[in-house]
Amino acid sequence: MYMRVFIIRFPTKAKAKLIRSFIQTMEKPFQEKSNIISFSVMDIGEGKILNVAKYNSKQDFEDTNKWLSPIFLEAIDALDGRVESIPGEVLMHYENKKLELY
């Protein structure tokens, strides 16, 4: 499994809220074009959004990133945001199958 964690920082909470709305519109392209297994977005306060994307492999990440990165970076740049990206191989993963997610 390969993951990409990234934090997007905006100068205002209002701009962070706008990017959250934009990300919500991406569900259909994720389903149709991407190799993303799962994608989570968290508001971590002070105009910062934390995103976690899971892929089966680094190649799936790279293939998806070719079309997805320009779209995200254009939207983030338009709102004066800055991205810190942290991609990497998963060394350990645990899921408690006895508990439901929601």
Side-chain angles (χ1 to χ4, degrees), residues 1 37 54 92-99 101:
M1 183 183 305
I37 295 171
K54 292 181 184 178
M92 189 270 188
H93 175 76
Y94 170 78
E95 278 185 53
N96 188 339
K97 300 290 185 181
K98 296 180 278 184
L99 301 176
L101 188 57

Side-chain angles (χ1 to χ4, degrees), residues 57-95:
S57 67
K58 184 175 181 179
Q59 186 62 49
D60 284 351
F61 160 71
E62 290 172 352
D63 292 345
T64 299
N65 201 45
K66 286 177 188 174
W67 65 268
L68 184 57
S69 182
I71 294 168
F72 263 75
L73 292 178
E74 182 179 356
I76 292 165
D77 190 49
L79 296 169
D80 302 318
R82 300 288 174 255
V83 178
E84 178 184 354
S85 179
I86 310 160
E89 280 297 325
V90 174
L91 300 176
M92 189 270 188
H93 175 76
Y94 170 78
E95 278 185 53

Side-chain angles (χ1 to χ4, degrees), residues 1-36:
M1 183 183 305
Y2 195 80
M3 290 180 71
R4 179 181 184 196
V5 176
F6 55 104
I7 298 173
I8 311 169
R9 292 177 171 83
F10 293 97
T12 66
K13 291 179 185 180
K15 289 183 177 188
K17 191 172 182 177
L18 286 171
I19 205 69
R20 287 184 0 220
S21 296
F22 168 76
I23 291 170
Q24 289 172 334
T25 70
M26 295 301 295
E27 187 172 349
K28 187 173 181 178
F30 286 169
Q31 292 171 350
E32 294 174 352
K33 295 174 65 176
S34 80
N35 295 322
I36 295 174

